[in-house]
Amino acid sequence: MRLAFISDIHGNAIALDAVLNDIQGKNIDKIYVLGDLCYRGPEPKRSLELVRSLNTEVIKGNADEWVVRGVQNGEVPEQAFEIMNKERDWTYSKLNSDSIDYLSQLPTELNLEYNNLKIHAFHATPLSLFDVVQPHDQDKAVEEKLMQRVANLYIYGHIHKAYIRYINGKCIVNTGSVGLPFDGLNMASYVVVNVEEDSYQVSIVRVKYNEHDVIGQFRESDYPNKNLMENILAKARI
């Protein structure tokens, strides 16, 4: 069984196209989507349509929650609060009521089992859509924040930095971001899990897409924070 986990598309449908094309060539049996589908990208509507066309299990990210109800005080730095709500309003205006209802009703975690492999997947942490766990955090902090359920493999998104790590015989994996990588490598990121009868293999896949076309989409749009977003896309860093 070959599984693909994708996350943090952020309205970048061009990058999502590239990832889905790559997945198609890898004989993947099942795709799972770990949130942040629309917000902060030039194509929120098409990104969501692509995700929904997969007819698969999708969970909610913090950005999906923001699209539904707006960014609230304390969730972002004070200086970014106003502009990020303007970005949210722009994204909201591109979606219909059915899309908003879909985002609002998404679950927040996946508990999967394939052979003897138990997988717990979520967006940021099992208890929060907003908390941040970085690749370099201490083992104890990772255990307390991420390893809440009994599982062999924990998979999450949110931080836009792909990595694989082992703690006490358990595997922790971050998918990185399809549409907005923050690790300096300007390639979309996702995770493949290959499950055999008595073993499993986890790999991070990076896929080239044309970020210049996405930057061009921002430039031609009336997106309210496009200079910042163009810079992030160009550098693959915040």
Side-chain angles (χ1 to χ4, degrees):
M1 179 69 69
R2 289 173 62 80
L3 314 173
F5 291 83
I6 67 176
S7 188
D8 296 272
I9 298 156
H10 287 285
N12 187 342
I14 288 176
L16 182 55
D17 281 334
V19 165
L20 294 179
N21 286 337
D22 193 74
I23 286 173
Q24 190 173 24
K26 285 185 164 55
N27 297 315
I28 298 296
D29 298 295
K30 181 81 173 179
I31 302 172
Y32 294 101
V33 186
L34 306 188
D36 281 9
L37 312 180
C38 309
Y39 176 67
R40 301 206 101 177
E43 292 191 271
K45 181 175 181 289
R46 189 163 81 87
S47 297
L48 184 54
E49 288 172 348
L50 283 169
V51 169
R52 296 184 72 173
S53 74
L54 298 174
N55 294 315
T56 192
E57 292 174 75
V58 182
I59 61 174
K60 183 185 292 185
N62 62 295
D64 307 311
E65 184 75 357
W66 283 339
V67 172
V68 171
R69 50 82 162 161
V71 182
Q72 297 181 355
N73 280 312
E75 293 177 344
V76 298
E78 185 177 349
Q79 65 271 21
F81 179 75
E82 182 179 356
I83 189 62
M84 289 185 70
N85 263 311
K86 287 182 178 179
E87 292 178 75
R88 175 267 174 186
D89 292 345
W90 184 92
T91 303
Y92 188 94
S93 74
K94 304 300 180 183
L95 303 175
N96 59 25
S97 59
D98 177 66
S99 296
I100 300 302
D101 288 343
Y102 173 82
L103 293 175
S104 70
Q105 295 171 21
L106 289 174
T108 58
E109 64 179 351
L110 297 171
N111 290 286
L112 311 170
E113 190 164 352
Y114 290 94
N115 295 336
N116 296 316
L117 179 66
K118 292 182 179 180
I119 303 172
H120 189 206
F122 39 87
H123 180 70
T125 75
L127 301 179
S128 170
L129 295 176
F130 301 94
D131 206 355
V132 174
V133 178
Q134 296 285 10
H136 57 266
D137 284 355
Q138 295 293 318
D139 286 2
K140 183 178 180 181
V142 174
E143 288 185 274
E144 289 177 350
K145 290 185 177 181
L146 298 186
M147 302 167 73
Q148 298 281 328
R149 308 284 188 270
V150 176
N152 313 102
L153 174 59
Y154 301 86
I155 305 179
Y156 74 113
H158 190 51
I159 61 172
H160 300 212
K161 299 173 184 176
Y163 74 91
I164 300 172
R165 179 172 173 178
Y166 294 87
I167 299 176
N168 293 331
K170 306 296 179 73
C171 184
I172 301 95
V173 181
N174 190 277
T175 61
S177 174
V178 169
L180 211 58
F182 289 168
D183 57 5
L185 179 58
N186 215 323
M187 300 174 76
S189 179
Y190 74 99
V191 162
V192 171
V193 180
N194 187 26
V195 186
E196 302 290 348
E197 185 175 351
D198 296 312
S199 66
Y200 68 93
Q201 181 184 36
V202 180
S203 57
I204 294 166
V205 181
R206 303 305 291 256
V207 181
K208 184 63 182 172
Y209 74 95
N210 195 330
E211 72 275 9
H212 301 293
D213 285 352
V214 186
I215 291 169
Q217 288 178 327
F218 270 119
R219 287 178 179 167
E220 293 169 7
S221 75
D222 58 351
Y223 192 84
N225 200 16
K226 57 187 176 182
N227 289 339
L228 173 65
M229 299 312 300
E230 290 167 20
N231 189 54
I232 292 173
L233 281 164
K235 296 181 178 179
R237 291 190 183 279
I238 53 174

